Amino acid sequence: MPIEQRRGAVYLAMLASFMVAVDGTIVNLALAELSLSMEATRAELQWVLNAYTLAFAAMMLGAGAITDIFGAKRVFVTGMAVFTLASVACAMAETMTLLNLFRAVQGLGAALVLPSALTLATVSAPDERTRNRFVGLWAAAGGIGVVAGPPLGGLLVSIADWRAVFAVNVLVGIPAIVWSLRSMPAVPRRDRRLDIPGMVAATMMIGGLVFVLIEAPVQGWNAPSVLIAAILAVVGGVGFVVVERSVRDPLLPVRVYSDGRFGGTAVQGALFNFAFYGLFFSLGLMLQQGRGLDPLTSGLLFLPLTGLIAVGNLSSASLTRRFGHRGVLGAGQTLLIASLLATAWASGAASLWPLALALVPVGFASGLLVTTMATRSISTVEPALHGAATAAFNGSRQVGAAIGIAAFGPLLGVGAGLQDGFVLGVLVGSAAIGLCLLITALSGRDREAVIVLRDERRGGGPRISEEPA
């Protein structure tokens, strides 16, 4: 592939990662405004985030197969078009029902965009080291999107209203579509079938579970809709296991999970997103509804958290080469637990600076962990399974995010109780990261390729050896 096309593919993948990440965080600063202008309930506010996340997770499981069957370029353009049009529809929605419906469509588009963009970038990498660097750049762009989301959302809500946070996606979506149509290379397709029964079963399982977690505290655990959702979740879970064992091209091939490190990393991704997105959801509401801050000030207070995410993303590759995936995961998880506990303590201070200071290491540790988990999940499978592994890992993360938002909502409380509820939620998130640390401690040692620098005296090429990390 010509170097111009290779660079273009990487830049476009970074742009897509940025756009999807912005949409995942920018909405948090519009929730308080939505609760006033649309008279939205807490459950409806949770669905603004989870309608997107659920559709994202359900489609993500099949996105690898869809990309293989129809081609990465075609899937990317289609997904970007769906995402952009759904953003326009969200901005024009007049009811919470319509808004949440269009948010789900947005999630479908994002699920098609993210893995196809990463495929366009990684397929152009000439070697494993370059591939890991491209993944790091892709993750860093997402980290920058996370950084930009809250302050941008606060600014847009302050100068306009909540609709502006959706309309802004058009400014990125249309140029990305034009760029990809004009200059993106085509990626060869692979011969496989789309596992539609598996996708349906996964959607039933994930959607039913999250519906129960969001609606049960509101409607009651004995409500008919809650009971039906619980039954669908169980039936979907059992059906998914049965289907995946019987179809020719399952969404999650057995070979993906043949290395226990992948399964452990996927679980860690879900637990991490549970804590991280639960924190994002509760922090925005606590600052605005609990402490009475305006949207712009609240958005700026996210900067200590989000500002260090990209730094952590970019630090991951060099630290992993030196200490291995397992070492970096253990250190990052330990730092994240300590900083979350500090955040819980600092949130009760009269001044805001202790909270802002405590959020700084949360951001760095989060950025470090996301990239390290992503590269480890890919490194455990052969290149032919990178698409399936990426979809499975990101799907598990989205499920964790949906459950985190659903769980943190009831914990958060109302009015003056927001402060105590926020502390409780952060402590629950710390426990989830503690489980991640336990998984890391119990996982086997990595066998990773360690690049040895060129021996200038001999004039030889770089040597690659297999050493435990």
Side-chain angles (χ1 to χ4, degrees):
M1 180 183 298
I3 190 169
E4 292 81 7
Q5 284 192 331
R6 182 186 303 169
R7 289 175 178 172
V10 174
Y11 293 152
L12 194 60
M14 293 171 65
L15 180 63
S17 181
F18 173 85
M19 181 174 171
V20 172
V22 164
D23 201 71
T25 60
I26 195 173
V27 181
N28 284 274
L29 273 296
L31 295 180
E33 176 76 14
L34 275 169
S35 69
L36 295 175
S37 63
M38 302 279 279
E39 298 182 352
T41 65
R42 179 66 59 77
E44 288 174 327
L45 294 179
Q46 289 174 274
W47 278 115
V48 172
L49 301 176
N50 270 343
Y52 176 88
T53 304
L54 278 176
F56 198 140
M59 178 60 74
M60 179 66 74
L61 291 176
I66 293 172
T67 299
D68 289 342
I69 293 170
F70 297 102
K73 180 176 179 178
R74 182 179 298 177
V75 172
F76 177 84
V77 172
T78 301
M80 189 63 73
V82 170
F83 185 91
T84 303
L85 290 173
S87 297
V88 174
C90 285
M92 298 174 63
E94 296 296 334
T95 67
M96 289 300 298
T97 300
L98 285 176
L99 174 60
N100 290 332
L101 174 62
F102 295 136
R103 282 286 285 166
V105 178
Q106 257 193 324
L108 294 177
L112 294 175
V113 165
L114 210 57
S116 57
L118 185 58
T119 298
L120 286 169
T122 56
V123 76
S124 66
D127 52 53
E128 184 68 23
R129 185 174 184 177
T130 304
R131 183 181 298 111
N132 287 340
R133 184 166 62 87
F134 286 173
V135 172
L137 291 172
W138 172 80
I144 295 171
V146 172
V147 172
L152 180 59
L155 176 63
L156 290 173
V157 172
S158 296
I159 63 177
D161 59 17
W162 62 267
R163 299 179 189 277
V165 304
F166 298 107
V168 73
N169 290 327
V170 179
L171 300 178
V172 180
I174 293 178
I177 293 172
V178 174
W179 183 9
S180 58
L181 287 173
R182 293 184 59 183
S183 60
M184 280 298 94
V187 177
R189 305 179 190 179
R190 292 175 181 166
D191 182 22
R192 62 181 299 185
R193 296 178 182 176
L194 186 59
D195 180 14
I196 295 180
M199 293 179 65
V200 172
T203 302
M204 290 172 56
M205 174 180 64
I206 299 169
L209 175 61
V210 174
F211 185 93
V212 169
L213 291 173
I214 292 178
E215 296 296 335
V218 179
Q219 300 184 28
W221 291 91
N222 294 323
S225 60
V226 173
L227 294 175
I228 291 173
I231 293 172
L232 287 175
V234 173
V235 172
V238 174
F240 185 75
V241 173
V242 173
V243 168
E244 294 305 281
R245 290 182 174 181
S246 60
V247 298
R248 192 189 79 173
D249 294 314
L251 293 176
L252 301 180
V254 175
R255 288 182 296 162
V256 171
Y257 286 92
S258 60
D259 190 319
R261 290 175 301 168
F262 180 87
T265 304
V267 173
Q268 287 178 320
L271 290 170
F272 169 81
N273 268 34
F274 170 88
F276 184 81
Y277 282 92
L279 173 65
F280 250 76
F281 173 76
S282 56
L283 182 60
L285 289 177
M286 188 271 288
L287 291 174
Q288 293 182 72
Q289 295 183 342
R291 303 194 67 152
L293 301 179
D294 61 83
L296 180 57
T297 303
S298 299
L300 292 175
L301 278 171
F302 273 81
L303 283 177
L305 166 62
T306 58
L308 271 291
I309 290 179
V311 177
N313 292 148
L314 295 173
S315 302
S316 173
S318 59
L319 291 174
T320 300
R321 284 196 299 271
R322 184 170 182 180
F323 301 106
H325 289 117
R326 188 166 176 256
V328 174
L329 287 176
Q333 288 156 359
T334 301
L335 176 60
L336 184 54
I337 292 170
S339 52
L340 284 174
L341 293 176
T343 298
W345 169 81
S347 65
S351 175
L352 290 173
W353 74 261
L355 176 61
L357 188 62
L359 290 172
V360 171
V362 174
F364 177 78
S366 298
L368 189 66
L369 290 173
V370 167
T371 307
T372 305
M373 288 186 295
T375 55
R376 193 187 203 201
S377 67
I378 293 177
S379 70
T380 60
V381 300
E382 67 260 31
L385 293 175
H386 280 178
T390 299
F393 173 70
N394 284 299
S396 69
R397 287 185 59 204
Q398 294 303 317
V399 171
I403 295 175
I405 294 166
F408 275 55
L411 293 176
L412 194 55
V414 180
L418 281 171
Q419 171 61 39
D420 293 337
F422 176 78
V423 171
L424 179 58
V426 173
L427 293 177
V428 171
S430 301
I433 304 302
L435 290 177
C436 291
L437 183 59
L438 178 61
I439 293 172
T440 298
L442 296 176
S443 64
R445 294 172 66 86
D446 293 333
R447 301 287 298 182
E448 297 171 329
V450 179
I451 305 298
V452 182
L453 296 177
R454 182 186 302 272
D455 186 344
E456 297 290 345
R457 290 176 297 178
R458 296 183 180 179
R463 294 180 292 117
I464 301 178
S465 62
E466 291 291 329
E467 298 179 5

